[in-house]
Amino acid sequence: MRNILIVGAGKSSPYLIKYLLDKSQEQNLYLHITDITIDHLLHYKKNNKCIVSKINILDDNEREEYLLKNDIIISMLPARLHMILANSCLKLKKNLITASYVSDEMRSINKSVKERNLIFLNEM
């Protein structure tokens, strides 16, 4: 089973979540969907292939606890918050996917990402 953490579940996230849930059985995926609030995510609790929970992306311990439990991290956060998650993924050796353009900050850690044999995909 591959555990996927989705961090941030705003307006564009439902399409990604639906796609991953549709593929979860055949691809052996389990989703953990997190956001600052979860009222808009409660309907996903009916699915036995995912859980939802609140996350404070600014809390290092909380954020890293979530990362440690998952194999692939998908950031659907606003672009200005990607580096917080990226730095933790780098530290904990977790692969990261974001929906945003490659920023200068993200580009600046590329060497470290490669040295750790990780994949950081942006603009996905």
Side-chain angles (χ1 to χ4, degrees):
M1 169 140 344
R2 289 179 288 174
N3 295 307
I4 299 175
L5 176 67
I6 299 174
V7 184
K11 292 181 181 178
S12 60
S13 297
Y15 303 103
L16 170 66
I17 294 166
K18 182 185 180 324
Y19 175 81
L20 291 173
L21 287 174
D22 287 348
K23 299 292 182 184
S24 65
Q25 201 63 30
E26 72 182 63
Q27 295 295 320
N28 203 22
L29 306 175
Y30 189 82
L31 303 183
H32 188 166
I33 308 163
T34 63
D35 202 5
I36 195 166
T37 63
I38 60 168
D39 293 346
H40 63 295
L41 303 173
L42 295 177
H43 64 282
Y44 292 118
K45 283 188 168 188
K46 297 176 199 168
N47 190 306
N48 66 351
K49 289 296 217 166
C50 79
I51 58 171
V52 300
S53 57
K54 290 183 184 182
I55 189 171
N56 177 357
I57 194 67
L58 302 177
D59 182 320
D60 295 344
N61 293 327
E62 181 179 336
R63 178 180 63 249
E64 291 181 1
E65 185 178 320
Y66 282 116
L67 296 179
L68 284 169
K69 296 175 184 173
N70 290 278
D71 306 307
I72 301 169
I73 313 305
I74 301 175
S75 178
M76 295 301 287
L77 294 167
R80 63 184 163 74
L81 297 175
H82 285 317
M83 284 310 296
I84 294 169
L85 199 55
N87 286 322
S88 289
C89 285
L90 195 57
K91 174 183 170 185
L92 301 173
K93 297 182 180 176
K94 297 293 181 175
N95 295 306
L96 175 68
I97 300 169
T98 77
S100 298
Y101 294 109
V102 180
S103 67
D104 290 338
E105 282 182 300
M106 192 68 78
R107 197 171 281 111
S108 74
I109 64 171
N110 189 46
K111 183 179 177 186
S112 296
V113 170
K114 287 180 179 180
E115 288 171 352
R116 287 169 177 80
N117 202 29
L118 295 172
I119 297 172
F120 280 25
L121 292 176
N122 296 275
E123 301 181 42
M124 299 307 294

